[in-house]
Each structure stands twice: as structure tokens, then as C-alpha cells.
Amino acid sequence: MDQASNLRNIIKQREIGGSVKKARVIAVTSGKGGVGKSNTTVNLAVQLSKIGKRVVIFDADIGLANVEVMFGAIPRYNLSDVIYRGMNIRDVITPGPENVGFISGGSGIVGLSNITKEQVISLVRNIGELENMCDYVLIDTGAGISDAVMEFVVSSPEVILVSTPEPSSLTDSYSLLKTLYRHPGYEQSPAKVYVLANRVNSTEDGKSVYDKLSSVVTQFLHGSIEYLGLVPYDTAIDKAIRTQKAVSLFSPDATSSKAYEVIASNLANGETKYYNINRGFSGLIRNLFGGR
């Protein structure tokens, strides 16, 4: 068994050292960049924390610092310090707002396929400890279908695929799903794949994103995916990013913040409620000029 398979099994296994893991491990991914994947990760983490869940973000989007930027924090350590310096994973968690912690992948993540057996054992122990100290581990993967990205997606018992209504985003989302289903390490059951429609202009547009992807997955991949919900287009998100804050903190009453709140509730409680985008002039004004 290669090291990638070892690492895959680390995340999938339900027990380490005889203790049952408490955390739900969820990878947040996208078929292409620029669709709001990292923004989704951060805001879901904030909303989950607001309802009393302990959340840690594992930033696996190598080469970028989106989570750090939106939290306005600079990590002192990253995952490479755990692997190569023997640090405990608790010590590389950077505190963020609303008691959300995050772990930066750093440059060390690139060499994961070459780590030694002893380093794998150490990482097993540390990840086991991480999953026993929180309720959710959200993995912010890179965008696309590179081997590094797919390892995290395949490893996760639950996956949130972020897509927008644009044809290019839908095409790239299907490419990721096709790569996932054909990956030798992927087990369709009991794994769950959710679709989150982002930057949509109507409730119908959001459902359409899911319907289109679900149709091709059923027809060509003989699988199934679930609809997690939608986040409307909202200028408050851009304003929040410019101030290095998650929109859920920058403008809690913004339409996007309320949508993330509903989605977090769906995840936590197994619900199927969907945010309903207001129609009419008042809804248009709120979407265009939401936030501060």
C-alpha cells in the first residue's frame, strides 16, 4: 500500500487507539477556481461555530492563503511542522474568529507522498487527536482535479462541491465528479457528495445547478449526489473580503450570511431546508446593496 493510500485510510478510519472519533470530516472543493470555495469553507465554519460546534479548518489549498486572508491571521506554524519537526497538531492550530481554528498546509503538504512510515504513524496519531477535539474538520482543498486535490476529496467521508450556474463551472464540476467516481480509492457508499450552488440569482437557478449535475451523475456515472442548498449573489461578500472578514461576521444580516446559516443548520441537523431568495424590487435591492 502506498503512502497516499495510508493517508486516505487515516481520515476514513473511525477509530484510533480504541477511541471513537467525534469529528465529521468534510472536504469543500470545486472543479475550478474563483467560484467561492474558500469563502464557503470559512463561512460554514463560522456558522457552525455560532450554533455551538467546535470547528477546525484544514487549509489544503496549497500556494494560496485564502483562509488566512479572510480571517486576517498569519499562522506561525503549518502542517510541515507536524510532519518534519514533530510538533503536536494542537500547537499548529491558529485561532480565528468565533473560536474557529485553522491549520495551514504550507509548503510541506507537497511532500506528503514521500514521508516515511514513522512520519505516517505520527500523522495518524495527530489527526486522531484533532478529530477527537472538535466536531467538524473542514478541508479547504485546492480547485480542480490534480492528484493532490483528489487525494483529499477521495479521503473525506463527506464532500461539498461548490459550483456556480456558469457553463464552465458546471462542466468543471462534472469533470471533478467523474474523476472522483473513477478513482480507485473512492467508495461511493457510505461517502456523501453534496452540491452547493453559489452566486445564484434565484431559488430556481440554485436548484437548476444541482439538477444538471445530478442528471449527468445518474446517467453517466450511475451514482447519486445530494443538494445542500444555495448562496445568492451578494455584494456584501466582496465588501467583507476587502476587510479580511467572513461575510457571516462582517454583515450577519446579509442575504449570503443567512444562506450560509441555513446550510450550516442542514449539515448539523440533517435538514433539507433551502434559503429562498426574495423576489421583487425589495429582494433585488437587498441582494445588490446588502451589507454595510
Side-chain angles (χ1 to χ4, degrees):
M1 182 180 294
D2 60 16
Q3 298 288 17
S5 296
N6 281 330
L7 291 171
R8 195 179 307 130
N9 289 331
I10 290 169
I11 299 179
K12 283 187 175 180
Q13 64 186 348
R14 304 313 302 169
E15 293 188 4
I16 288 184
S19 60
V20 178
K21 292 183 180 182
K22 298 177 181 178
R24 288 173 63 182
V25 179
I26 305 175
V28 184
T29 193
S30 62
K32 61 175 293 184
V35 299
K37 171 186 56 62
S38 296
N39 200 59
T40 295
T41 305
V42 169
N43 280 284
L44 286 183
V46 169
Q47 294 292 353
L48 286 167
S49 182
K50 283 186 175 183
I51 58 177
K53 304 300 182 181
R54 299 167 299 166
V55 187
V56 172
I57 298 175
F58 190 110
D59 187 358
D61 196 350
I62 310 309
L64 298 175
N66 292 332
V67 174
E68 301 167 20
V69 169
M70 280 184 278
F71 275 164
I74 300 177
R76 182 176 181 182
Y77 303 108
N78 58 49
L79 187 60
S80 64
D81 293 298
V82 176
I83 297 173
Y84 301 116
R85 296 180 56 200
M87 291 186 64
N88 188 283
I89 205 160
R90 290 175 179 265
D91 298 325
V92 302
I93 297 176
T94 301
E98 285 291 327
N99 296 317
V100 175
F102 73 92
I103 299 171
S104 172
S107 59
I109 204 79
V110 177
L112 279 183
S113 61
N114 298 317
I115 62 178
T116 67
K117 180 180 179 180
E118 289 73 22
Q119 288 168 333
V120 169
I121 294 173
S122 176
L123 190 57
V124 169
R125 184 175 62 251
N126 275 281
I127 291 180
E129 183 174 347
L130 174 64
E131 292 196 0
N132 279 294
M133 65 178 284
C134 60
D135 300 307
Y136 287 83
V137 177
L138 301 184
I139 303 175
D140 182 32
T141 77
I145 57 174
S146 68
D147 290 343
V149 170
M150 294 311 300
E151 277 304 320
F152 284 107
V153 176
V154 170
S155 298
S156 301
E158 297 178 81
V159 176
I160 296 175
L161 174 60
V162 180
S163 181
T164 66
E166 282 73 26
S168 60
S169 179
L170 290 170
T171 299
D172 289 335
S173 292
Y174 175 66
S175 295
L176 186 146
L177 288 168
K178 182 170 62 175
T179 302
L180 174 63
Y181 272 76
R182 294 179 178 177
H183 194 289
Y186 179 64
E187 299 175 11
Q188 185 173 336
S189 179
K192 288 187 177 181
V193 178
Y194 308 99
V195 171
L196 186 152
N198 195 31
R199 298 177 187 164
V200 301
N201 294 315
S202 70
T203 303
E204 291 74 18
D205 282 348
K207 188 60 164 54
S208 178
V209 169
Y210 165 74
D211 288 339
K212 290 175 181 178
L213 290 173
S214 179
S215 176
V216 292
V217 167
T218 300
Q219 181 177 357
F220 298 110
L221 303 179
H222 308 292
S224 63
I225 54 180
E226 299 181 26
Y227 185 40
L228 186 60
L230 64 86
V231 177
Y233 172 79
D234 187 359
T235 57
I237 292 178
D238 297 326
K239 296 176 183 177
I241 291 174
R242 286 196 292 270
T243 62
Q244 293 187 308
K245 289 184 178 180
V247 70
S248 295
L249 297 172
F250 174 78
S251 183
D253 293 326
T255 56
S256 53
S257 299
K258 293 300 183 182
Y260 283 123
E261 182 180 339
V262 171
I263 292 171
S265 178
N266 285 343
L267 278 176
N269 303 315
E271 298 173 338
T272 55
K273 298 177 181 178
Y274 306 124
Y275 183 79
N276 185 38
I277 298 178
N278 294 326
R279 288 188 172 276
F281 182 72
S282 61
L284 175 64
I285 294 298
R286 187 175 184 185
N287 285 339
L288 289 178
F289 300 101
R292 297 176 184 175

